[in-house]
Structures are given as structure tokens and as C-alpha cells.
Amino acid sequence: MSASAAKVSKKELNSNHDGADETSEKEQQEAIEHIDEVQNEIDRLNEQASEEILKVEQKYNKLRQPFFQKRSELIAKIPNFWVTTFVNHPQVSALLGEEDEEALHYLSRVEVTEFEDIKSGYRIDFYFDENPYFENKVLSKEFHLNESGDPSSKSTEIKWKSGKDLTKRSNQTQNKAGRKRQHEEPESFFTWFTDHADAGADELGEVIKDDIWPNPLQYYLVPDMDDEENEGEDDEEDEEGLEDIDEEGDEDGEEDEDDDGEDGEDDEGEDD
């Protein structure tokens, strides 16, 4: 093959390759545009689904209200229901000092109310009987999403009685079992009502709304760990007692067999 022929062949190959690249790029661009169109349809359906889901949530939220009311009436018949529920919840109990628990013994009712459009926020109400700590009958905390979508919160100002402000305590406290808290200066549960620093990450509010409120009975019925340990010790003692009885029974059985053997030998001697 001549040099000129070789150059022509190479030029044709390069020309064909460039044409293929142009076709490939064009196809890719068209595919990207089609993907974008399909994605817009998916997003539209997702928005429509969110609207439909919100309507369903609003419908069933209204249907649940009479049952929440009935449950509250029944809970009112059980002394110390809510303080027991909070103490039994691992995340909430970590925030409770001894004095907090004492104050929560006066807590008679808890209510969680989601705002009508649900997405904009919710409110938690704590109803208290007359108590030696503060004047308020109801303590509330609300969580909102403002027009720009930023979270915010506000709460009832606690009217503490003289010398009873639990949020100002600084001494190390112990829980009822006598175990010291991990922090030397634990924050009171009631500081939550004054903490509005990060409403979008309020763990306690979310725990009460999403975990405790839907079914508080499951935490009220959690067995006390100390009682479980005592029951375990009692079971071990019972088992040891049964083993001792079995051993004594075995020994008595062996003695009876020996006696029977001796009696048999004596009877044979007499017959002779």
C-alpha cells in the first residue's frame, strides 16, 4: 500500500470516529433530557402522594381524638401513672433527678396535640395538681415551623415557689435506687421548658410525641429492675432449697434400702 493511500485510510477512520462521538454525545444529551422529564413526573407524583398522605393523617388524627380522651380518663384512675412511665423510659429517666421525680408525682395528665395541618408543629401539655414546687396548673411547650420553614419553640413560664426552682439546683443528686447520676451538675427535667436553642432537634419533645404518647402503657408496665433482681434471687434460693430436699430424699431412700436389706437377712436367719 502506498504512503498516500495509507494516509487517506487513516483520515477516513478518524473522520468516522469523530462522527460516532458526535452521535454518541447527541444521544446522551437527548437521554439526559428525557430522564429529567421523567424525574419531573416522579417529583410531581411524590408531591401528590404527600398531599394525599397528609389528608389521611389529618382524617385519622381526628378519629383518634375520642380514644385519646377515653384513655386519659382511665389513666386518671391510676396514681403516679405518668411519673412511672417517664421513669421507666430510658431516655427520659436520664434527665430526671430525685427532685424532678418528686415534682412529677403531681403530674396528673399529659396531652399531645398536633396542629391541624400536622406539618406545622405540635404542642405538649402537662397538667399538674397543687404542688409545693410551682404555681402553674398547666405547663406547655409548642413547636412550630415558621413561613420560611425554620423550626421554633415557645413554652409556659414556670412560676416557681420560693426556694423551689429546680432549674437552679447545682448539687449532685441521686435517684431512688441510690445510684449517682453521671454528671456532677445534672440539668433538671424542667430546664426543657426554657431551652429553645435548637427546636428542630428537640429529642425530648420527639420522644414524648412519637414514642411515649402513642402507647404510654407499654412503659408504665415495664417491670422495675430492682424487683426483677430480687425475684431472680428468690428463684435461685427456691431452686437451691429444692435441690437440698432432693438430696435429703435420696439419702433417706438409700437408708431405707439398707434397712430393708438387713431386715431380710434377719428373717432368713430366723427361718433357719
Side-chain angles (χ1 to χ4, degrees), residues 140-196:
S140 302
K141 189 167 184 177
E142 293 186 11
F143 298 87
H144 297 270
L145 286 178
N146 56 30
E147 295 180 356
S148 61
D150 296 324
S152 63
S153 63
K154 63 179 182 179
S155 59
T156 306
E157 179 182 355
I158 303 177
K159 299 177 182 179
W160 296 101
K161 293 182 178 180
S162 179
K164 294 294 186 177
D165 189 344
L166 300 182
T167 64
K168 293 182 179 180
R169 70 184 183 191
S170 60
N171 296 327
Q172 187 177 41
T173 59
Q174 296 180 340
N175 62 13
K176 291 183 178 180
R179 295 185 294 271
K180 293 183 178 180
R181 299 289 177 180
Q182 294 180 352
H183 305 290
E184 290 187 358
E185 296 184 1
E187 287 189 349
S188 168
F189 168 84
F190 292 92
T191 60
W192 176 67
F193 289 94
T194 60
D195 182 8
H196 305 289

Side-chain angles (χ1 to χ4, degrees), residues 89-229:
H89 192 285
Q91 289 173 269
V92 179
S93 64
L95 304 175
L96 300 178
E98 185 176 1
E99 287 185 292
D100 290 328
E101 292 183 26
E102 290 299 323
L104 288 175
H105 274 81
Y106 297 93
L107 178 61
S108 59
R109 183 157 53 106
V110 174
E111 288 186 359
V112 175
T113 304
E114 292 187 273
F115 300 144
E116 188 171 355
D117 60 356
I118 297 179
K119 293 190 294 183
S120 67
Y122 61 95
R123 184 181 71 251
I124 305 176
D125 298 313
F126 299 79
Y127 294 81
F128 287 86
D129 294 330
E130 180 69 29
N131 65 83
Y133 295 95
F134 43 80
E135 302 289 348
N136 310 71
K137 299 298 183 184
V138 183
L139 298 179
S140 302
K141 189 167 184 177
E142 293 186 11
F143 298 87
H144 297 270
L145 286 178
N146 56 30
E147 295 180 356
S148 61
D150 296 324
S152 63
S153 63
K154 63 179 182 179
S155 59
T156 306
E157 179 182 355
I158 303 177
K159 299 177 182 179
W160 296 101
K161 293 182 178 180
S162 179
K164 294 294 186 177
D165 189 344
L166 300 182
T167 64
K168 293 182 179 180
R169 70 184 183 191
S170 60
N171 296 327
Q172 187 177 41
T173 59
Q174 296 180 340
N175 62 13
K176 291 183 178 180
R179 295 185 294 271
K180 293 183 178 180
R181 299 289 177 180
Q182 294 180 352
H183 305 290
E184 290 187 358
E185 296 184 1
E187 287 189 349
S188 168
F189 168 84
F190 292 92
T191 60
W192 176 67
F193 289 94
T194 60
D195 182 8
H196 305 289
D198 191 0
D202 194 301
E203 293 184 8
L204 180 56
E206 293 295 325
V207 164
I208 294 174
K209 178 175 76 75
D210 297 330
D211 192 15
I212 294 178
W213 175 248
N215 184 8
L217 187 62
Q218 64 179 327
Y219 291 106
Y220 175 79
L221 295 176
V222 170
D224 186 81
M225 293 304 294
D226 293 335
D227 291 342
E228 281 191 340
E229 291 174 2

